Amino acid sequence: VAMAIEIERKFRVSDSAWKSAVKRERYIRQAYLTKNGRVSVRIRIDGDDKWSDPRKLQVQLDALRRAPHAVGCYHHAQRIDGEGRSLGALFNKDLPERFDLEGTITHRSPFHISSFLYRNLPVLRHPPALARRAGSLDLLLFALAASNGPLIRVEGAMTCYRVNEQGLSQRGLYARSNDLRLRILLWTALVRVLHGRGREKARSICDDLLRAALAHPVTARDAKAWALAVVRRPGYFLARRWRIGQVARLLRKGLHA
């Protein structure tokens, strides 16, 4: 974020007693890209993922210049543990050389978001309203990009993905079966935005997600969210009798939790 005047609140502490309440530590690295009297542009490295190769951006830019038909490119990401040590595995070892739209409509991210570089297209600068409610923004980004052209792979593992047992899908509104529900809402909404493109693949993926939902715990709040999903997407849920039955079992499970 760049702004003309930066305002920060700083608090002075009287002693080090606060340290006993610390539950975890996170290191943030900071650097300035430009700084003058009017504005400063600052970058911070913060979070679970990182670039591991300083050539990453140049390699991907060169790949897109050589392939003007490609909308974006991606590469392998190395898996690391909480201490930053390599786990000797890749985020997705079977990464294909190319993705089209249907290839990006999947159960899980086909490649890691930290590896993705894409062209400055209007649909990606100003994504549809469903982006505000997307359960998985990376999946939406990949699919929107691929709807405009192919995505290509560049060689090398130039980023790291930190394996986190308390990741997004394990907590809050994404916990239990909710992550699956949100992905169903995402894919059914995307098909409408794309005027039916990818419909059969999206339905197949949504059916798999719906079948898997019953294996997860369901709370009363979750059951209410599933009922609301049916109201929002009747064209999908009510089109097959088994889908109605599956949602009914989810509702009963939540009500008796």
Side-chain angles (χ1 to χ4, degrees):
V1 177
M3 47 191 162
I5 301 176
E6 181 177 347
I7 301 172
E8 291 185 356
R9 284 189 174 185
K10 296 181 174 66
F11 298 90
R12 178 174 294 178
V13 295
S14 58
D15 54 44
S16 59
W18 60 270
K19 293 183 179 180
S20 62
V22 173
K23 295 183 178 179
R24 70 183 182 94
E25 296 180 2
R26 188 177 74 210
Y27 294 94
I28 300 176
R29 294 182 180 181
Q30 177 174 296
Y32 285 89
L33 296 179
T34 182
K35 189 176 183 181
N36 56 44
R38 295 188 60 194
V39 66
S40 65
V41 179
R42 177 176 59 190
I43 60 171
R44 282 177 174 171
I45 301 175
D46 175 22
D48 289 342
D49 312 316
K50 64 180 182 180
W51 290 10
S52 56
D53 189 332
R55 301 176 302 118
K56 167 187 160 61
L57 194 57
Q58 189 62 57
V59 169
Q60 292 187 277
L61 285 171
D62 290 344
L64 290 177
R65 290 191 182 106
R66 291 192 301 268
H69 63 289
V71 172
C73 59
Y74 53 90
H75 54 73
H76 282 295
Q78 184 74 35
R79 292 163 65 91
I80 59 176
D81 64 14
E83 302 300 322
R85 296 182 295 260
S86 173
L87 295 174
L90 299 173
F91 179 77
N92 180 2
K93 64 182 182 64
D94 300 317
L95 198 59
E97 294 183 356
R98 175 186 172 119
F99 278 104
D100 58 11
L101 171 60
E102 291 204 354
T104 61
I105 301 176
T106 62
H107 306 84
R108 298 287 178 184
S109 292
F111 48 85
H112 198 258
I113 184 66
S114 65
S115 76
F116 193 40
L117 184 71
Y118 53 90
R119 298 190 189 277
N120 186 21
L121 299 179
V123 69
L124 302 178
R125 288 199 309 272
H126 308 290
L130 71 95
R132 295 192 296 270
R133 304 183 300 274
S136 184
L137 191 58
D138 52 349
L139 283 175
L140 174 62
L141 176 64
F142 303 156
L144 285 173
S147 70
N148 286 268
L151 312 180
I152 59 174
R153 187 187 73 196
V154 297
E155 296 304 321
M158 294 182 282
T159 57
C160 293
Y161 160 65
R162 192 182 305 274
V163 177
N164 187 352
E165 294 181 356
Q166 297 301 317
L168 180 65
S169 62
Q170 302 298 319
R171 64 179 187 264
L173 295 178
Y174 299 93
R176 303 175 297 279
S177 65
N178 292 298
D179 187 39
L180 306 177
R181 172 181 55 80
L182 289 170
R183 289 175 193 244
I184 291 174
L185 293 175
L186 168 66
W187 291 134
T188 49
L190 183 68
V191 167
R192 293 197 299 182
V193 168
L194 298 180
H195 306 290
R197 293 175 61 197
R199 176 179 283 113
E200 292 307 314
K201 178 66 179 296
R203 283 179 177 172
S204 175
I205 295 298
C206 289
D207 286 350
D208 290 343
L209 296 170
L210 184 56
R211 291 187 182 98
L214 206 58
H216 295 263
V218 181
T219 67
R221 184 179 180 184
D222 297 343
K224 182 178 180 181
W226 277 103
L228 182 60
V230 174
V231 173
R232 292 174 61 185
R233 300 289 188 274
Y236 168 73
F237 286 105
L238 304 183
R240 295 287 186 273
R241 182 174 297 179
W242 76 265
R243 293 174 188 157
I244 300 172
Q246 186 77 345
V247 173
R249 286 187 285 272
L250 287 166
L251 297 181
R252 286 196 297 269
K253 189 174 182 179
L255 293 175
H256 292 93

